[in-house]
């Protein structure tokens, strides 16, 4: 999360009046960026990761665990520590060197007052040494965060807190359910970061929509789960706000867990990777080629089987966040004829991608989304300003959305050296890939953000998935790989990824042959011995011909990751081919193999996803009644187990080994993926 602006926010009626004004100014800022940066070049690919934590507080005598709402206090303690470390050590604005012995990570606030975000203190390079530094750096971040917390607090990397919104005292300090911003019957407004942007965002989404957000997650039907399941936490007799009528008007679905607040989505944690490309051409190519991988990585990192104290019949967070920020009106949803709004919009503003943007000859018009909604007037202005049709279409699609938070001070004057109005639209389009232009005031290039992955319990797993995606980008650029499939198939794949145990039981649309139609120059011709340079661009392949439907088929995650005997080669074999093409010493190759191994075995089912392990932990707990309910003591033991997994990583057969080692101590050399 970037810097949080300060100002006087407009309530929704005024925001709506100013929405087109902000769009027009945002468009002018985008064109200024385009003119200034379209020819910007970088020497090498840089990248960074974002880790998000839940801060929990243990009350061991009462066998309770709660969310700690001390985000501001923890960030203040971290800031003071960094300020001290900078005295005489670093120039202003440079990364600080501290008692921890290396560049300090950077900590940021997040939506939930119980959340922290941590990023490396400087971007990672593509060199193999940097790849091997990722896991130690992630461990360091957690150590530093913990050092600035109370003794009974701990930073965990679960996507959601299992009992968020249960109505008991699951937060510390406790606040009763209340608040005119969210108007939730489950969560207090105080659950969110108090910065004025966040309550305004929640209030304006609700006001624009004309109702509270509506989140219904299928409940996991266990042996003693009531059928039909009617969420027992819903109060149908509440009359505090006009929106309390929602539950009496059909907002709650049978056999579903019902939630009504933005915090149930944006209060979730994830793992995000941002790449800085060599230039805009490379960035657009990575945006397109990584897009079909999004649903596969979502299923592979599945870690969200519990909501509001109930086991869910889904394994990932994506749709819940999508619904938590869905500001579409009844007309835009297609529930009423268009009268006041301009379009029917098929997707929430938090959704899978709807555009391809690369000027790659391998991109066929048949891959595009036939339901794409575009502001044609804005697209024409972008094209007249010099932008090509593909990129103009992409941004004109993003700009169909209204800005959600406008500060009165920002409407006084248009400043083309800033990007505030552009980012007002861009940053509230939360798609699974994001294409990010260079900021005007920093020496930063064109960037691509890979957003679908779930956060993992251990730093080892988070490092493994980060490194894997980085190596995939190198293979894509080195071998000119082609993963294009029609955008509607990727949209279907995102839905498929939500199924329980999708990584094992579901099949996903994926391209059969990722190689270009004719040979390209080997990667070694354009890659340094260390693998740190961007590979030389191969000759342009011809546009594919033949029926598009023949280019892809349904595959299991195992087949996509590990390959088919007589078909798709597999993402890991492609990465290994890339590593074979560059000069990697044996020791480094062995270290990288540890990370690839967890991906390989997760895909094959030899290692469990976090979602499967959490579900199994709950269902085998002595207090579980086979009724889908995750009670306070189960939650306490689960989060305690998560803390132990974080520290011990399943060594010697300790808790959580099923996620990290394909056999307890005594198999696979006594420790599975990592030495004991």
């Amino acid at each position: 999360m970037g810097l949080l602006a300060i100002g006087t926010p407009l309530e929704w009626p005024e925001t709506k009046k100013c929405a087109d004004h902000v769009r027009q100014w945002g468009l002018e800022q985008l064109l200024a960026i385009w003119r200034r940066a379209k020819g910007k070049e970088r020497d090498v690919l840089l990248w960074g990761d974002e880790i998000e934590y839940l801060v929990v507080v243990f009350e061991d005598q009462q066998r309770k665990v709660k969310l700690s709402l001390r985000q501001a206090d923890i960030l203040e303690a971290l800031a003071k520590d960094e300020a001290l470390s900078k005295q005489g050590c670093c120039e202003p604005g440079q990364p600080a060197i501290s008692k921890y012995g290396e560049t300090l990570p950077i900590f940021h606030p997040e939506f939930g007052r119980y959340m922290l975000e941590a990023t490396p203190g400087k971007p990672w390079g593509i060199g193999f040494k940097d790849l091997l530094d990722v896991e130690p750096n992630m461990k360091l971040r957690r150590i530093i965060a913990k050092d600035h917390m109370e003794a009974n607090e701990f930073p965990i990397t679960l996507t959601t807190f299992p009992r968020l919104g249960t109505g008991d005292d699951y937060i510390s300090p406790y606040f009763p359910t209340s608040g005119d911003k969210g108007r939730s019957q489950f969560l207090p407004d105080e659950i969110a970061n108090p910065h004025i942007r966040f309550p305004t965002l929640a209030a304006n989404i609700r006001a624009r929509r004309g109702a509270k957000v509506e989140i219904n997650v299928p409940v996991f039907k266990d042996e003693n789960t009531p059928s039909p399941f009617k969420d027992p936490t819903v109060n149908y007799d509440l009359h505090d706000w006009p929106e309390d009528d929602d539950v009496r008007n059909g907002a709650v679905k049978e056999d579903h867990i019902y939630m009504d607040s933005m915090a149930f989505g944006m209060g979730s944690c994830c793992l995000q990777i941002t790449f800085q490309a060599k230039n805009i051409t490379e960035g657009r190519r990575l945006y397109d080629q990584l897009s079909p991988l999004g649903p596969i990585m979502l299923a592979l990192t599945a870690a969200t089987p519990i909501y509001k104290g109930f086991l869910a019949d889904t394994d990932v967070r994506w749709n819940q966040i999508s619904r938590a920020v869905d500001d579409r009106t009844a007309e835009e949803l297609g529930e009423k004829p268009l009268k006041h709004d301009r379009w029917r919009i098929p997707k929430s503003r938090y959704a899978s991608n709807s555009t391809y943007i690369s000027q790659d000859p391998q991109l066929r018009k048949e891959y595009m989304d036939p339901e794409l909604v575009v502001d044609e007037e804005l697209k024409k202005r972008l094209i007249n300003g010099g932008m090509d049709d593909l990129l103009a279409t992409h941004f004109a699609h993003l700009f169909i959305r209204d800005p959600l938070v406008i500060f009165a001070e920002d409407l006084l004057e248009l400043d083309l050296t800033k990007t505030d109005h552009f980012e007002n639209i861009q940053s509230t389009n939360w798609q699974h890939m994001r294409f990010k232009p260079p900021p005007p005031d920093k020496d930063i290039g064109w960037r691509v953000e890979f957003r679908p992955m779930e956060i993992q319990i251990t730093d080892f797993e988070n490092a493994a998935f980060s490194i894997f995606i980085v190596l995939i980008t190198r293979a894509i650029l080195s071998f000119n790989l082609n993963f294009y499939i029609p955008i509607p198939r990727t949209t279907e794949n995102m839905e498929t990824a939500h199924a329980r145990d999708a990584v094992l039981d579901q099949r996903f649309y994926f391209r059969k042959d990722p190689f270009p139609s004719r040979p390209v120059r080997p990667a070694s011709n354009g890659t340094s011995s260390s693998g740190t340079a961007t590979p030389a661009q191969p000759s342009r392949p011809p546009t594919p011909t033949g029926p598009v439907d023949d280019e892809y088929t349904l595959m299991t995650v195992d087949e996509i990751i590990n390959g088919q005997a007589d078909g798709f080669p597999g993402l890991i074999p492609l990465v290994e081919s890339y590593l074979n093409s560059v000069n990697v010493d044996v020791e480094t190759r062995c270290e990288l193999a540890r990370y690839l191994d967890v991906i390989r075995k997760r895909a094959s089912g030899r290692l469990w996803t976090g979602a499967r392990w959490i579900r199994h932990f709950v269902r085998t707990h002595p207090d579980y009644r086979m009724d889908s309910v995750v009670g306070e003591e189960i939650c306490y033991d689960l989060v305690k187990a998560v803390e132990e997994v974080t520290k011990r990583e399943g060594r010697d057969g300790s808790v959580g080994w099923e996620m990290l080692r394909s056999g307890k101590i005594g198999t696979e050399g006594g420790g599975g993926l990592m030495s004991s």
Side-chain angles (χ1 to χ4, degrees):
M1 180 168 292
L3 293 175
L4 296 174
I6 297 175
T8 307
L10 304 183
E11 294 187 354
W12 176 247
E14 290 303 312
T15 298
K16 185 176 182 179
K17 292 177 184 177
C18 299
D20 194 58
H21 181 77
V22 170
R23 263 192 295 270
Q24 299 301 324
W25 279 12
L27 194 79
E28 293 301 321
Q29 289 179 336
L30 173 59
L31 285 170
I33 297 167
W34 170 255
R35 290 189 290 267
R36 182 171 59 245
K38 61 184 177 181
K40 189 176 181 64
E41 295 279 344
R42 305 292 300 179
D43 293 328
V44 294
L45 182 145
L46 299 175
W47 67 280
D49 65 86
E50 298 175 22
I51 299 286
E52 293 172 344
Y53 306 93
L54 304 178
V55 181
V56 297
V57 55
F58 291 106
E59 297 179 358
D60 292 327
Q61 288 188 343
Q62 292 79 28
R63 291 183 54 77
K64 285 187 176 184
V65 61
K66 302 176 182 180
L67 287 170
S68 171
L69 303 188
R70 293 198 327 106
Q71 177 195 87
D73 296 333
I74 296 167
L75 287 171
E76 182 181 3
L78 286 161
K80 287 180 178 178
D81 192 293
E82 290 192 39
L84 288 173
S85 71
K86 288 181 181 179
Q87 292 182 8
C89 295
C90 299
E91 295 295 324
Q94 296 299 311
I97 308 300
S98 77
K99 64 181 180 182
Y100 298 100
E102 59 178 89
T103 303
L104 279 175
I106 302 171
F107 292 88
H108 314 264
E110 258 296 344
F111 178 87
R113 281 178 67 185
Y114 50 83
M115 299 172 70
L116 292 176
E117 179 187 292
T119 57
K122 60 181 180 180
W124 300 114
I126 194 57
F128 296 116
K129 181 183 182 303
D130 276 14
L131 294 182
L132 297 185
D133 285 343
V134 172
E135 183 188 355
N137 185 271
M138 288 180 175
K139 291 181 184 297
L140 176 66
R141 286 178 237 174
R142 200 185 299 257
I143 290 169
I144 293 174
K146 173 62 184 128
D147 284 351
H148 295 81
M149 295 177 185
E150 301 291 347
N152 61 342
E153 291 177 326
F154 194 80
I156 62 170
T157 41
L158 284 178
T159 49
T160 61
F161 185 70
R163 290 183 57 81
L164 178 66
T166 51
D168 51 37
D169 57 341
Y170 61 89
I171 51 175
S172 178
Y174 175 76
F175 292 94
T177 301
S178 63
D180 70 328
K181 298 300 184 182
R183 302 188 181 181
S184 169
Q185 64 167 263
F186 306 111
L187 301 175
D189 279 358
E190 291 85 355
I191 201 83
N193 186 315
H195 186 282
I196 193 62
R197 169 181 164 81
F198 297 109
T200 303
L201 189 61
N204 285 355
I205 286 174
R206 173 181 48 76
R208 187 186 190 282
R209 178 185 172 88
K212 289 189 291 187
V213 295
E214 185 178 308
I215 310 165
N216 282 283
V217 185
V219 72
F220 173 72
K221 287 293 194 74
D222 216 331
E223 298 170 10
N224 299 323
T225 306
S227 188
F229 173 86
K230 297 184 179 181
D231 190 333
T233 66
V234 177
N235 184 351
Y236 290 90
D237 297 319
L238 203 61
H239 296 274
D240 291 342
W241 307 103
E243 293 86 352
D244 290 334
D245 285 341
D246 292 354
V247 298
R248 292 182 284 274
N249 294 330
V252 184
K253 294 181 180 179
E254 279 192 355
D255 294 325
H256 286 71
I257 306 158
Y258 171 71
M259 294 167 282
D260 66 353
S261 169
M262 180 179 172
F264 283 112
M266 296 303 263
S268 305
C269 297
C270 67
L271 169 66
Q272 294 179 181
I273 311 296
T274 300
F275 300 97
Q276 176 184 262
K278 174 184 176 181
N279 52 33
I280 189 172
T281 301
E282 186 174 277
R284 293 169 71 166
R285 177 158 173 72
L286 287 177
Y287 177 93
D288 282 13
Q289 295 303 324
L290 288 174
S291 184
L293 272 60
I296 313 308
M297 299 308 296
L298 178 61
L300 203 57
T301 57
T304 319
I306 303 175
Y307 276 99
K308 214 178 65 174
F310 298 104
L311 284 176
D313 204 31
T314 58
D315 273 5
V316 300
R317 80 201 186 284
W318 190 267
N319 279 348
Q320 283 66 265
I321 309 179
S322 175
R323 293 165 187 145
V325 294
D326 192 352
D327 68 335
R328 289 176 296 170
T329 66
E331 292 181 18
E332 290 169 336
L333 287 164
E335 297 171 352
K336 294 181 179 179
L338 286 175
K339 183 177 179 181
H340 304 288
D341 296 307
R342 299 177 65 187
W343 302 284
R344 189 190 73 81
I345 304 177
K347 296 180 180 179
S348 166
R349 61 199 302 154
Y350 195 114
S352 57
N353 283 18
S354 295
T355 58
Y356 286 131
I357 62 175
S358 177
Q359 294 175 305
D360 187 335
Q362 298 176 118
L363 174 59
R364 303 175 64 173
K365 66 180 186 301
E366 295 92 336
Y367 301 153
M368 299 305 194
D369 187 350
E371 294 190 328
L372 185 70
V373 181
V374 172
D375 188 321
E376 294 292 345
E377 180 184 341
L378 295 187
K379 177 181 173 180
K380 183 178 180 180
R381 286 181 57 192
L382 290 171
I383 291 174
N384 290 341
M387 192 175 289
D388 61 89
D389 185 86
L390 277 171
L391 203 57
T393 298
H394 169 76
F395 286 116
H397 167 63
L398 300 186
F399 271 59
I400 68 172
R401 310 289 181 175
D402 281 338
L404 291 172
V405 179
I406 298 176
F407 293 108
E409 293 81 358
D410 293 337
L411 299 175
L412 300 177
E413 182 180 4
L414 172 61
D415 188 341
L416 293 180
T417 67
K418 295 182 178 179
T419 61
D420 50 343
H421 300 292
F422 166 69
E423 287 295 343
N424 200 331
I425 306 291
Q426 159 97 343
S427 66
T428 54
N429 274 272
W430 296 282
Q431 298 183 344
H432 84 274
M433 299 290 304
R434 182 177 281 161
F435 186 63
K436 304 174 73 170
D441 55 345
K442 296 179 182 177
D443 185 22
I444 294 175
W446 294 88
R447 291 152 296 151
V448 174
E449 193 172 75
F450 189 76
R451 301 170 47 80
M453 293 190 292
E454 307 247 295
I455 197 73
Q456 304 296 285
I457 291 175
T458 68
D459 299 308
F460 170 73
E461 294 166 279
N462 287 315
F465 282 105
S466 301
I467 290 166
F468 177 60
I469 289 297
V470 172
L471 291 175
I472 283 288
T473 67
R474 308 315 293 167
I476 288 169
L477 297 175
S478 295
F479 302 138
N480 198 26
L481 298 177
N482 177 7
F483 294 132
Y484 278 124
I485 60 173
I487 285 172
R489 300 293 84 78
T490 297
T491 302
E492 290 180 57
N493 283 347
M494 287 295 281
E495 292 299 315
T496 301
H498 285 73
R500 178 161 42 92
D501 284 329
V503 69
L504 301 179
D505 299 338
Q506 301 297 317
R507 296 198 300 164
F508 297 78
Y509 292 106
F510 211 75
R511 192 174 184 86
K512 297 176 185 177
D513 182 4
F515 296 109
S517 301
R518 64 188 185 208
V520 299
R521 293 196 302 269
S524 56
N525 288 357
T527 307
S528 72
S529 61
S530 65
T532 58
T534 295
Q537 291 299 307
S539 56
R540 290 168 65 89
T543 301
T545 58
V548 168
D549 289 350
D550 290 345
E551 296 177 357
Y552 61 90
T553 190
L554 287 167
M555 302 184 201
T556 65
V557 172
D558 188 23
E559 291 172 326
I560 294 168
I561 296 295
N562 295 317
Q564 300 169 317
D566 298 308
F568 183 72
L571 297 179
I572 284 186
L574 287 169
V575 164
E576 290 175 331
S577 293
Y578 163 70
L579 293 173
N580 289 338
S581 73
V582 295
N583 184 18
V584 186
D585 64 84
V586 173
E587 183 178 355
T588 299
R589 188 69 183 267
C590 288
E591 288 295 307
L592 292 175
R594 296 167 56 241
Y595 300 116
L596 296 180
D597 209 31
V598 74
I599 312 296
R600 177 184 290 113
K601 291 176 178 176
R602 179 76 61 87
S604 70
R606 293 180 67 186
L607 293 177
W608 292 4
T609 62
R612 188 179 185 190
W613 177 80
I614 292 169
R615 192 184 304 277
H616 175 79
F617 184 96
V618 170
R619 296 190 73 230
T620 56
H621 192 280
D623 289 344
Y624 182 64
R625 299 294 177 253
M626 296 294 169
D627 57 0
S628 309
V629 176
V630 182
E632 285 188 276
E633 292 218 354
I634 298 174
C635 181
Y636 172 82
D637 288 339
L638 173 61
V639 178
K640 272 290 185 184
V642 166
E643 180 188 17
E644 182 179 350
V645 174
T646 300
K647 294 175 178 177
R648 299 196 62 191
E649 296 180 333
R651 284 187 288 268
D652 301 321
S654 59
V655 64
W657 65 268
E658 301 95 334
M659 294 179 287
L660 295 155
R661 304 163 192 281
S662 53
K664 289 188 179 181
I665 189 71
T667 64
E668 294 200 8
L673 299 181
M674 297 171 287
S675 62
S676 296

